Amino acid sequence: MRILITGGAGFIGSHLTDRLVADGHQITILDNLATGRKENLSAHLGGSSVSFIEGSILDLPLLDGLIKDTEYVFHLAAAVGVFNIVNHPLESLMTNIRGTENVLESAHKYSKPVFVTSSSEVYGKNISDSLKESDDRILGAPVTLRWSYSEAKAIDESLAYAYWVEKKLETRIVRFFNTVGPRQLGAYGMVVPRFVQFALKNEPITVYGNGEQTRCFGHVLDAVDAVVRIAFAENTIGKVINIGNDFEISINDLARKVIEQTNSKSEIVYVPYEEAYGDGFEDMERRVPNIELIKSLVGWVPKSDLSTMISDIAQFIQSK
Ligand code: UDP
């Protein structure tokens, strides 16, 4: 298949590219290299399976031409990372709302199936034991900038769903829970690569808040396998589907585990949220996915455990 991946030079996008190339597809990547890196595609650049175009999803004529020429669109381009969102809220909103609008408009014009990537951030402060796709969203004030990412991704979901319901455009929507692995950068906030990076240098590990907040981390290769299964199944059209691993860990325990696993001498240092993210920041205490839907639709379950994720990230950092 001729496939377009927006954001294909990014963390998840580049792993998806690896997989789709291995499956024999012909890939075009559109990426503005805001957080993506050409280096992530080094195995493919100059080869015959991948063409790379540096550009933005906000450039409608460029995007429109690429979508016209493709058979399937994976839309992964987005402004990501909590640091990035709170420091560049306007650009993030434009990219994440207008960019997706552009993708869906062109896909509709040429009747091309679109795979839309959303986020567990849409659940906001809902701390239920097991977040199901139909669960309520609980958000803080719109001017608490952290929530602008949640707002944008929720609009993307509603738009994609409306295109399916009203126009019969083939759309599939997934919500990634915390996804980690090689190539992810700590610079935009993501906790696991940050902790591993600090641990390997025996530098202090910074835990924000009291560290009792929890997350569930999934391996990027598991996530990519989920994406491919969902993308090419018939029973997933028009659906919103969680992708994540339901093993829950506190940030304190994560810090201790990373230190132990990397034989590090790092100390744990507590940093107030305001210092890390600026005034008025709100974190979520907990975020656990329910993964019954993906299991029942495509038979996917996560395979990698947190120790594997940490060692894969450590190996990647050490290889640089
Ligand atoms: N976090 C931390 N230290 C860091 C980076 C993040 O304690 O150096 C915390 C962050 O406040 C949050 C959790 O780790 O409670 C996960 O953060 P991340 O940005 O990776 O994901 P998200 O908040 O989007 O789930």
Side-chain angles (χ1 to χ4, degrees):
M1 239 183 184
R2 278 177 293 115
I3 292 176
L4 174 68
I5 308 179
T6 72
F11 163 53
I12 302 179
S14 64
H15 284 286
L16 177 63
T17 301
D18 293 345
R19 168 66 189 267
L20 293 174
V21 167
D23 289 350
H25 298 289
Q26 195 64 38
I27 312 297
T28 300
I29 288 171
L30 176 65
D31 198 304
N32 68 354
L33 300 179
T35 56
R37 290 174 305 160
K38 271 186 157 177
E39 195 187 321
N40 290 341
L41 300 169
S42 53
H44 309 293
L45 294 179
S48 57
S49 299
V50 174
S51 36
F52 175 79
I53 289 147
E54 185 174 341
S56 169
I57 50 172
L58 297 175
D59 181 346
L60 188 53
L62 172 67
L63 178 73
D64 193 79
L66 294 174
I67 291 181
K68 187 177 179 196
D69 282 344
T70 199
E71 292 169 273
Y72 198 108
V73 183
F74 284 91
H75 175 41
L76 280 82
V80 294
V82 182
F83 284 166
N84 199 21
I85 301 301
V86 298
N87 292 327
H88 308 283
L90 190 56
E91 206 182 315
S92 305
L93 280 162
M94 292 301 174
T95 305
N96 294 350
I97 298 177
R98 194 173 292 165
T100 302
E101 249 182 86
N102 288 347
V103 169
L104 289 165
E105 244 170 57
S106 290
H108 173 239
K109 190 161 140 194
Y110 304 114
S111 294
K112 304 295 167 76
V114 190
F115 189 99
V116 173
T117 50
S118 179
S119 163
S120 60
E121 281 272 327
V122 298
Y123 295 108
K125 293 186 275 189
N126 187 333
I127 55 163
S128 124
D129 271 345
S130 177
L131 290 162
K132 278 210 294 285
E133 289 82 351
S134 54
D135 280 352
D136 287 346
R137 309 177 55 217
I138 304 178
L139 296 184
V143 293
T144 299
L145 292 174
R146 194 239 167 88
W147 305 119
S148 63
Y149 181 75
S150 176
E151 303 280 26
K153 286 292 179 178
I155 293 277
D156 291 353
E157 289 192 15
S158 300
L159 266 174
Y161 185 67
Y163 266 106
W164 160 241
V165 172
E166 265 189 69
K167 309 281 188 192
K168 290 291 162 252
L169 176 68
E170 212 177 280
T171 62
R172 293 167 177 85
I173 304 161
V174 297
R175 289 184 185 151
F176 288 123
F177 282 67
N178 296 67
T179 304
V180 304
R183 299 181 193 156
Q184 188 175 39
L185 297 178
Y188 307 105
M190 283 74 169
V191 68
V192 183
R194 287 174 69 76
F195 282 9
V196 175
Q197 204 175 302
F198 295 139
L200 291 174
K201 291 195 269 180
N202 296 310
E203 287 175 2
I205 288 190
T206 54
V207 168
Y208 301 155
N210 66 10
E212 290 307 308
Q213 69 272 32
T214 68
R215 292 293 187 273
C216 295
F217 298 98
H219 198 296
V220 66
L221 295 181
D222 279 340
V224 161
D225 185 50
V227 165
V228 171
R229 287 178 192 227
I230 291 168
F232 301 114
E234 284 292 316
N235 62 355
T236 52
I237 301 171
K239 298 237 165 30
V240 179
I241 306 168
N242 286 340
I243 297 181
N245 186 316
D246 51 9
F247 172 74
E248 185 179 11
I249 188 167
S250 74
I251 299 304
N252 280 329
D253 286 344
L254 174 71
R256 288 191 277 264
K257 185 172 172 57
V258 168
I259 289 171
E260 190 190 300
Q261 212 180 304
T262 55
N263 291 317
S264 171
K265 295 187 182 65
S266 292
E267 281 174 60
I268 296 176
V269 172
Y270 288 87
V271 176
Y273 283 122
E274 305 77 66
E275 216 174 282
Y277 301 111
D279 284 341
F281 179 81
E282 281 186 299
D283 200 4
M284 54 260 290
E285 278 170 51
R286 173 171 205 224
R287 201 202 261 151
V288 185
N290 178 300
I291 46 176
E292 288 309 311
L293 183 62
I294 186 167
K295 248 186 243 174
S296 69
L297 289 172
V298 296
W300 177 89
V301 283
K303 292 197 181 91
S304 290
D305 62 11
L306 188 55
S307 306
T308 310
M309 298 175 216
I310 292 169
S311 57
D312 285 0
I313 293 170
Q315 210 172 37
F316 171 75
I317 294 174
Q318 278 163 332
S319 74
K320 294 282 116 191

